Amino acid sequence: MDNIELRPLKATDMGAVCKIISAIGARQFKDCFDITNFDGKKDIKTVGFEIFFDIAGIVISNIPRAEKEIMSFVASVAGMDVKELEEMPFANYGELVARIVTKDDFKDFFSQVMKLFNH
């Protein structure tokens, strides 16, 4: 799995991420961004990391509803064809998804979204 090089996320990935969020049900994300859940003693990076894990949990529990969109996004970031990805062993696919959602630029995106909710 380490031999698959992940490309940096870019502006055009926003549409794919939005499709995934929509397929999952964006309303489920609302509680992740509730600023009353944070005591004000945490820095934005810590808050962004916590939000990232909350969102990852939602994504994982709703994969069946967003499978097509997730497959397309993962294939794009990994430089693979969707068919090739579909044939990947289960554990390898899970590892690949985990590598993508733990990328710094993926976490940074949600940290930036959190800043919008604090203004």
Side-chain angles (χ1 to χ4, degrees), residues 13-30 32-33 51 55-56 58-59 62 65-67 69-70 73 106 109-110 113 117:
D13 290 321
M14 180 70 71
V17 171
C18 289
K19 281 183 182 179
I20 292 169
I21 291 169
S22 177
I24 290 170
R27 289 179 183 241
Q28 290 181 286
F29 284 52
K30 180 181 174 188
C32 297
F33 294 101
I51 290 170
I55 290 172
I58 292 169
V59 169
N62 288 298
R65 292 178 55 201
E67 186 171 13
E69 290 83 3
I70 293 169
F73 176 67
F106 193 86
F109 166 76
F110 287 103
V113 170
F117 285 90

Side-chain angles (χ1 to χ4, degrees), residues 62-100:
N62 288 298
I63 284 175
R65 292 178 55 201
E67 186 171 13
K68 180 180 175 183
E69 290 83 3
I70 293 169
M71 282 276 190
S72 179
F73 176 67
V74 170
S76 172
V77 173
M80 300 173 72
D81 182 82
V82 172
K83 290 288 185 195
E84 184 181 10
L85 194 63
E86 290 173 344
E87 298 300 319
M88 183 178 280
F90 183 74
N92 292 5
Y93 178 69
E95 181 182 337
L96 184 57
V97 170
R99 283 182 57 207
I100 291 170

